[in-house]
Amino acid sequence: MDKSTLVLYTRSRCPLCDKAKKIVLELQEEWDFIFQEMDIDSSDELTEKYGIMIPVVEIDGEEIQYGQIDHLTISEAFSEKSKSLSQINGQ
């Protein structure tokens, strides 16, 4: 089974981003996923897309949550993905 990839879109001097990163790192202890952090200030395209939304959590290309990131919402998203994968693999 391929690992999911979680991308956290952040920028420097962003307290909400720091909090979100801490939550993501805690989640990585529960769920086996690849973690990538993207600084939106490194790309005009990302800044335009996510400027006022950050932090943004994306799992396998799907935006899961932005702004106030919480443990439960992200964990539920991984749980749903896990269920979907086991249903696909079980058929």
Side-chain angles (χ1 to χ4, degrees), residues 13-62:
R13 297 180 305 283
C14 168
L16 282 177
C17 299
D18 295 340
K19 183 179 175 191
K21 184 174 181 179
K22 185 178 177 201
I23 290 169
V24 168
L25 292 173
E26 288 171 5
L27 282 162
Q28 204 167 25
E29 294 174 16
E30 287 175 52
W31 301 95
D32 189 21
F33 61 87
I34 298 164
F35 171 49
Q36 297 176 340
E37 185 174 2
M38 298 284 293
D39 183 342
I40 67 165
D41 291 331
S42 67
S43 158
D44 290 343
E45 185 181 331
L46 290 176
T47 301
E48 191 174 311
K49 185 174 181 180
Y50 295 121
I52 59 171
M53 293 170 59
I54 60 157
V56 176
V57 172
E58 180 184 277
I59 299 175
D60 296 336
E62 180 185 350

Side-chain angles (χ1 to χ4, degrees), residues 59-72:
I59 299 175
D60 296 336
E62 180 185 350
E63 287 177 15
I64 302 299
Q65 195 173 32
Y66 64 90
Q68 293 282 346
I69 305 302
D70 68 86
H71 190 279
L72 183 62

Side-chain angles (χ1 to χ4, degrees), residues 66-85:
Y66 64 90
Q68 293 282 346
I69 305 302
D70 68 86
H71 190 279
L72 183 62
T73 301
I74 307 304
S75 189
E76 285 175 348
F78 276 116
S79 181
E80 286 301 312
K81 284 205 166 291
S82 178
K83 279 186 214 166
S84 296
L85 280 174

